[in-house]
Amino acid sequence: MEIGIDKIGFYAPHYYVDMVKLAEARGIDPDKFTIGIGQDEMALAPVTQDAVTLAANAALQVLDEVDKEKIDLVLFGTESGIDHSKSAAVYIHHLLGLNPYARSIELKQACYSATAGIQMAKGHIALNPKSKVLVIGSDIARYGLATPGESTQGAGAVAMVISKDPKLLAIENESTYFTNDIMDFWRPLYSDTACVDGKFSNEQYIHFFNTVWEKYKEQTGRSLEDFAALCYHVPYTKMGWKALRTILEEGTEACGERLRAHYETSIQYNRKVGNIYTGSLYLSLLSLLEKNDSLKGGDRIGLYSYGSGAVGEFFTGILQHGYQQHLYVNQHEELFKARQEVSVEEYEEIFADTLPADGSTTSLDAANDPAAVYLSGVEDHKRIYVNRNN
Ligand code: CAA
């Protein structure tokens, strides 16, 4: 039985910052951000969007009534959780109107957890072929104003329906994964911005990639030539390229050219959104699927997932025939077109506009937030969500 990604939805908040203007405001050469880091724009979440609303907005795009009935497992990957106890999965289970006979769980391991979700979903469907699983990666990446990490922030969510006979990508069984306890990036419970050892995180991302890639080749006997394209976790678009270029010499020149060209296609959306942590690899996959003009059914795609702290995994999928008919290209074009640029000053204000840390009652003005699902305030320490479609 083939199991894999049947649908992918994506949502990013409606504000973005131009990276050239951000660089200028910080007294930095804009080429550092657009070439050295590889980012053009950075999505910015207003206070009315959090990991729950971003996820619900991404999932609403793709779920139909059959999905809502058949989904009996919701796996919500995030490192921007809104509660130490209750899972974000339970909130979206309600907001999306899913079948009540479902398990709903939040998963955490930095940017890796949506990948764990996909692998767990695969096991669940192998035992329960009629069920479908909703896997989410949803985050708001915050390092702080004028910090070295600032140019690698972002916000957004990817929602995937995992099922048997998937219409997009069948996930193959072979995969290699690796865990090592390191402190390259983390966020203590008391902080709403990440701590990071930037250079070390870059080194470890590549080290983990080389480790799982070598083990994958050893286990499967496959080589670079077996891949039509490779997708990477994209904290910033230069990062995946730094990892990819370490292995390009293993293949022919033509193979290298192909993988490089597909890598460029796979980062088009990420260049405009920035880091969305758990969803970044899947935003890159989505960009590849929606923007390429040569990949066909039967092609093998490799995926490298990395979550600081750290866990890395290399796994693969086979593109399904006719996958192009099951994408939401127009909606994503509309989403990008409808976004509103904010000045650096406005960005700084929006960045600082956070919920009261003590949970006091707050009512938020969502008049400028076009999203279907938004946060309207906090009452009795409870977040109040609204779905405009209901
Ligand atoms: N023109 C063109 N390029 C320029 C330039 C210019 N004028 N000025 C600098 N550059 C280049 C540099 O040469 C460098 O390129 P290389 O990396 O290829 O050498 C690049 O721009 C970045 O410059 P610096 O290394 O000097 O940048 P920095 O020290 O200010 O910060 C960063 C870069 C470490 C990535 C920082 O933004 C950061 O800490 N980000 C958060 C951590 C992160 O994203 N880590 C990635 C791996 S961990 C992970 O993947 C998990 C996750 O999601 C967080």
Side-chain angles (χ1 to χ4, degrees), residues 143-156:
Y143 291 90
L145 302 177
T147 59
E150 184 180 35
S151 57
T152 64
Q153 299 178 134

Side-chain angles (χ1 to χ4, degrees), residues 5-71:
I5 305 175
D6 191 52
K7 293 180 175 181
I8 309 188
F10 162 63
Y11 185 77
H14 68 295
Y15 291 141
Y16 74 90
V17 182
D18 182 305
M19 297 304 281
V20 170
K21 292 178 189 161
L22 181 63
E24 284 165 355
R26 301 288 179 250
I28 291 172
D29 179 352
D31 286 354
K32 176 173 174 182
F33 287 180
T34 57
I35 301 169
I37 297 285
Q39 292 301 134
D40 298 322
E41 292 163 1
M42 180 171 90
L44 173 67
V47 67
T48 48
Q49 291 293 312
D50 63 15
V52 168
T53 61
L54 294 170
N57 287 313
L60 276 176
Q61 192 178 72
V62 297
L63 297 188
D64 60 22
E65 291 309 313
V66 176
D67 297 325
K68 288 182 190 175
E69 191 48 44
K70 293 214 160 167
I71 287 171

Side-chain angles (χ1 to χ4, degrees), residues 122-270:
K122 198 162 178 267
H124 178 76
I125 292 163
L127 291 173
N128 307 279
K130 287 188 184 152
S131 75
K132 296 187 180 202
V133 180
L134 179 62
V135 175
I136 301 282
S138 179
D139 277 298
I140 299 177
R142 286 168 67 88
Y143 291 90
L145 302 177
T147 59
E150 184 180 35
S151 57
T152 64
Q153 299 178 134
V158 173
M160 292 171 279
V161 176
I162 310 297
S163 71
K164 72 168 181 162
D165 304 327
K167 293 194 270 303
L168 300 177
L169 192 75
I171 304 293
E172 293 184 289
N173 287 338
E174 303 84 5
S175 83
T176 46
Y177 29 88
F178 183 69
T179 294
N180 192 19
D181 182 3
I182 56 169
M183 295 304 278
D184 60 332
F185 167 105
W186 65 104
R187 185 166 68 84
L189 291 179
Y190 51 79
S191 177
D192 78 344
T193 51
C195 300
V196 63
D197 184 342
K199 300 281 176 233
F200 183 53
S201 71
N202 288 354
E203 279 165 30
Q204 290 300 309
Y205 175 107
I206 295 172
H207 168 65
F208 273 61
F209 171 63
N210 292 142
T211 303
V212 289
W213 170 244
E214 286 304 318
K215 194 158 172 70
Y216 177 84
K217 286 186 296 179
E218 200 183 292
Q219 269 185 10
T220 62
R222 290 188 187 125
S223 73
L224 205 54
E225 302 284 339
D226 291 307
F227 290 89
L230 295 178
C231 287
Y232 287 79
H233 166 55
V234 183
Y236 55 96
T237 68
K238 179 85 169 285
M239 187 71 245
W241 168 241
K242 287 192 201 193
L244 173 58
R245 72 187 178 195
T246 64
I247 61 167
L248 283 184
E249 283 189 358
E250 294 175 17
T252 59
E253 207 173 304
C255 171
E257 279 306 308
R258 179 180 76 239
L259 295 177
R260 189 189 170 126
H262 284 314
Y263 181 72
E264 285 303 317
T265 309
S266 78
I267 56 174
Q268 284 186 28
Y269 289 170
N270 306 71

